[in-house]
């Protein structure tokens, strides 16, 4: 029992000594300027006092850089188109014209090729011509001329009949008329072309296509959007211009005075020394006296700055004789110098070319033969007749 008590006392003394050594024994302070190493980085004991080291520089955490300002996306530049020249365009479009006109030509050739040409046959020939919008008076003149030539010729082979009809149609189209457009600058001023017509004839589109024609032929062009009553007209014309690199003068306010827009377009055309200024006017019914008077005002205002070289009346070929009534009224208000027949590929009544020229005494200068941008062609009587006869 005494040994047990002695062992317990020794154990208590041993534990107390260990605790005193670990907690009560004073620690030496580390000298200033020394670096404290973290766990696992203590130097190995060498028996020498540790040497002093420079403190590590404190580096600040990199601040988050502000994202670069987003630059506004540049509007993609439109590719400037290079239209083909207008020369020979009607010949290239002959097949398209022939598809819509062969009904008239085939009917006439069939009638003229009959073994016996009696009065009833000639009446049928006249009826075909009138149905094709040639007009009553021109149709009678053509029938009389053909009757005389057939009687003199005597024989009527298919080639003879076709040549007779071809010669007569070309004669009725008056091939000697000057169909050139006045597009050359003069006296330091550009040529001014005024486009007029009723709503729905394709006037604005024709103005844009004509700009393509002129640029394809090497001219410089400026467009004037004087149709201020139709919101989309100026946008449409500007789009046509941008495609071929032609500037458009327009008003920012809908319903602005069209005469002032036309005047500004001509003024800018003179300053920029362009070859031609094309003015698109608002479509108007020929029965509206006030609107027709306004069209005359547009022309008079332009003439304070320079001459108006061309006034082109745009007619829809599918309207037939109604287009003739429109043409008469427009001719009374402005001096029409030429006619543009649009949608000629969409009708079998190409005879309006003959009747409108005969009625107004001015030539058809351009014809529209489709929806494509290059489907506006200078009118060539011989090529037109050949397309009709096939």
């Amino acid at each position: 029992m005494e040994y047990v008590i002695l062992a317990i006392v020794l154990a208590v003394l041993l534990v107390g000594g260990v605790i005193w050594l670990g907690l009560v024994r004073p620690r030496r302070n580390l000298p200033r300027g020394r670096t404290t190493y973290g766990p696992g980085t203590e130097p190995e004991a060498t028996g020498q006092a540790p040497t002093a080291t420079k403190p590590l520089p404190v580096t600040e955490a990199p601040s988050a850089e502000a994202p670069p300002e987003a630059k506004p996306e540049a509007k993609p530049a439109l590719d400037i188109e290079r239209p083909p020249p207008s020369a020979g365009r009607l010949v290239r479009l002959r097949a398209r014209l022939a598809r819509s006109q062969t009904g008239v030509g085939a009917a006439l050739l069939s009638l003229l090729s009959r073994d016996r040409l009696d009065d009833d046959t000639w009446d049928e020939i006249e009826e075909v011509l009138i149905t094709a919008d040639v007009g009553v008076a021109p149709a009678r003149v053509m029938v009389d001329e053909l009757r005389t030539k057939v009687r003199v010729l005597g024989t009527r082979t298919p080639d003879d009949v076709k040549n007779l009809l071809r010669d007569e149609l070309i004669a009725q189209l008056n091939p000697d008329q000057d169909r050139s457009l006045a597009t050359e600058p003069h006296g330091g001023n550009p040529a001014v072309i005024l486009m007029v017509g009723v709503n729905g004839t394709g006037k604005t589109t024709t103005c844009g296509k004509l700009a393509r024609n002129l640029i394809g032929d090497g001219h410089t062009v400026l467009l004037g959007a004087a149709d201020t009553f139709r919101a989309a007209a100026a946008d449409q014309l500007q789009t046509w211009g941008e495609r071929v690199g032609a500037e458009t003068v327009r008003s920012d306010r809908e319903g602005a005075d069209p005469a002032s827009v036309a005047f500004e377009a001509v003024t800018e055309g003179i300053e920029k020394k362009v070859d031609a200024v094309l003015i698109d006017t608002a479509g108007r019914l020929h029965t509206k006296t006030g609107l027709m008077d306004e069209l005359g005002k547009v022309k008079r205002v332009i003439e304070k700055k320079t001459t108006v070289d061309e006034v082109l009346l745009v007619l829809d070929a599918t309207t037939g004789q109604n287009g003739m009534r429109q043409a008469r009224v427009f001719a009374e208000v402005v001096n029409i110098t030429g006619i543009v027949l649009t949608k000629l590929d969409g009708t079998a009544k190409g005879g309006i070319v003959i009747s409108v020229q005969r009625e107004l005494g001015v030539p058809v200068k351009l014809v529209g033969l489709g929806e494509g941008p290059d489907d506006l062609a200078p009118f060539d009587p011989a090529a037109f007749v050949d397309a009709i006869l096939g």
Side-chain angles (χ1 to χ4, degrees), residues 51 62 68 92-93 105 110 137 144 198-199 233 263 290 299 321 378:
T51 58
R92 294 195 297 271
L93 299 173
S110 175
D144 290 342
V198 302
N199 293 311
F263 185 83
K299 185 173 183 288
Q321 291 302 307

Side-chain angles (χ1 to χ4, degrees), residues 107-266:
L108 291 173
L109 289 173
S110 175
L111 290 169
L112 287 169
S113 298
R114 288 181 180 179
D115 294 334
R116 184 169 178 270
L117 291 176
D118 54 15
D119 290 342
D120 290 340
T121 303
W122 287 113
D123 288 343
E124 288 183 53
I125 292 172
E126 183 176 333
E127 184 179 345
V128 169
L129 291 171
I130 293 173
T131 304
D133 281 334
V134 169
V136 176
R140 288 177 178 171
V141 171
M142 287 184 65
V143 168
D144 290 342
E145 292 289 335
L146 286 170
R147 259 183 153 172
T148 301
K149 290 179 180 178
V150 167
R151 191 181 300 115
V152 171
L153 182 64
T155 59
R156 288 181 290 103
T157 64
D159 287 342
D160 291 338
V161 170
K162 187 171 184 178
N163 289 333
L164 280 174
L165 186 56
R166 181 180 186 274
D167 292 343
E168 186 57 35
L169 287 171
I170 291 176
Q172 291 297 321
L173 290 171
N174 198 352
D176 295 330
Q177 280 186 309
D178 182 11
R179 301 178 192 277
S180 62
L181 287 173
T183 57
E184 297 297 331
H186 48 81
N189 293 335
V192 176
I193 301 175
L194 192 64
M195 311 292 291
V196 302
V198 302
N199 293 311
T201 58
K203 179 172 45 55
T204 301
T205 298
T206 299
C207 190
K209 289 183 178 181
L210 179 55
R212 287 182 63 91
N213 279 17
L214 296 179
I215 290 174
D217 291 337
H219 293 80
T220 54
V221 175
L222 185 138
L223 299 171
D227 183 354
T228 59
F229 297 102
R230 189 165 62 92
D235 293 336
Q236 182 182 355
L237 190 65
Q238 184 173 347
T239 300
W240 277 103
E242 288 175 347
R243 290 176 180 174
V244 291
E247 293 185 20
T248 302
V249 175
R250 57 179 294 179
S251 173
D252 294 331
R253 180 172 57 87
E254 187 176 343
D257 180 18
S260 66
V261 175
F263 185 83
E264 289 299 325
V266 172

